[in-house]
Amino acid sequence: MMRALACLLFVLIAISATGPAAAQRFGGNFPVCLQEWEWGGGTYISCQYRSFEECRASAAGRSAMCLENPYVQQPPQPRRSPHSR
C-alpha cells in the first residue's frame, strides 16, 4: 500500500511539472540591459540598449531597472608602444 501511494505521488508530481525552464541569457552585443520584474516573482532581462538614457526611457513607469551587460564584447584597446627615453 505504501509503495503504491509513493508511486502515485511520483506520477502526480511528474505530470504536474511544467516543461524545462528557458534559460535567461544576456544577449547581443549591446552594453546596457533592462531587467524587468514580472507578476509572480519572475524576472526578464533584455539587452538591446546602447545607452543608460535609452534604457531608462524604456523602464519609466515599469517595475524595471537598467544594468550593464557583463558579457558585451569590448573593442580591443590600442596597445601602447614602449617609449625609450
Side-chain angles (χ1 to χ4, degrees):
M1 177 73 172
M2 202 60 160
R3 184 179 283 176
L5 185 58
C7 287
L8 179 63
L9 182 61
F10 177 75
V11 169
L12 289 175
I13 291 172
I15 289 173
S16 66
T18 59
Q24 179 65 52
R25 65 186 180 102
F26 287 83
N29 198 27
F30 291 97
V32 182
C33 301
L34 175 76
Q35 180 176 10
E36 184 174 1
W37 286 268
E38 298 173 338
W39 184 257
T43 62
Y44 177 76
I45 297 174
S46 172
C47 299
Q48 60 184 11
Y49 301 97
R50 297 189 189 281
S51 68
F52 275 96
E53 291 76 24
E54 182 183 357
C55 179
R56 284 187 200 113
S58 181
R62 296 162 55 183
S63 177
M65 68 179 259
C66 300
L67 51 105
E68 186 177 334
N69 185 350
Y71 302 106
V72 69
Q73 297 291 322
Q74 298 293 334
Q77 298 295 324
R79 293 182 134 197
R80 290 185 178 179
S81 60
H83 296 270
S84 44
R85 292 183 177 203

